[in-house]
Amino acid sequence: MDILVLGIGNVLLMDEGVGVKAVEELDRRYSFPQGVELLDGGTSGIELLTHIRNRDAVIIIDAMTWGRRPGSVGRVEGRDVPAAFLTRISPHQLGLSDLLAAAMLTDELPGHLVLFGVEPQFLEAGFSLSPAVTANFEKLLTAVLDELRRLGCDEIQPQTRTITPSPWAYSLHNGNACCPGKEPS
């Protein structure tokens, strides 16, 4: 199976970067079987079409403002994913909306399309995730791993190499929001 896990967002705007940080963390912690690609899509839009075209499955991870409790993780599937970007607010939703519309028009929308959206707490300048998003970050990673396993990826293994902490690891592991590279006080 040809699967793309696509993290979207701007890592300079706190929770806006949760999709990118999730993909980075999955890549840091696990090895994935052949046929699974993890991609930092950043704030790109239509230029991602070459990456989603003709995939069996695409899993998108992004911050989504949809009126839930901050940090909540939601899941949307199939043709509801493009609709979610039309009706929900994401700072880069126009790019993704255009991307998904183009994929639909050219009949290149993946057969299995899932969006994991995280309700942001803060969308202001900063590298760290907010306390609310940090508290549910493991839940998000587990949801993505479970989705991959449902798609038949049973060979996901923890990394056996030495893992270097990510720059925002303190906020992740201690539950504190802080600056990257600095220990919380």
Side-chain angles (χ1 to χ4, degrees), residues 23-122:
V23 166
E24 289 175 352
E25 195 64 17
L26 288 167
D27 186 49
R28 196 175 71 78
R29 290 188 196 179
Y30 300 95
S31 63
F32 294 89
Q34 189 172 5
V36 176
E37 179 184 359
L38 284 75
L39 179 66
D40 169 357
T43 56
S44 301
I46 194 74
E47 54 270 49
L48 293 171
L49 185 60
T50 58
H51 294 282
I52 69 167
R53 116 178 346 139
N54 300 321
R55 298 278 186 164
D56 296 317
V58 173
I59 300 170
I60 300 172
I61 311 168
D62 195 7
M64 293 291 292
T65 303
W66 42 12
R68 297 183 180 184
R69 184 175 39 83
S72 297
V73 178
R75 181 184 180 279
V76 179
E77 181 176 355
R79 298 230 175 230
D80 291 338
V81 175
F85 284 102
L86 290 175
T87 59
R88 307 296 183 211
I89 298 170
S90 172
H92 47 266
Q93 75 180 71
L94 291 178
L96 275 178
S97 180
D98 290 346
L99 168 68
L100 296 173
M104 287 175 71
L105 286 173
T106 57
D107 201 26
E108 296 174 308
L109 204 60
H112 185 83
L113 182 62
V114 171
L115 164 68
F116 286 101
V118 180
E119 181 77 33
Q121 182 177 25
F122 299 122

Side-chain angles (χ1 to χ4, degrees), residues 143-157:
V144 173
L145 292 171
D146 288 346
E147 188 73 31
L148 286 167
R149 289 184 181 106
R150 275 193 293 277
L151 292 168
C153 298
D154 295 325
E155 299 174 23
I156 300 169
Q157 301 293 323

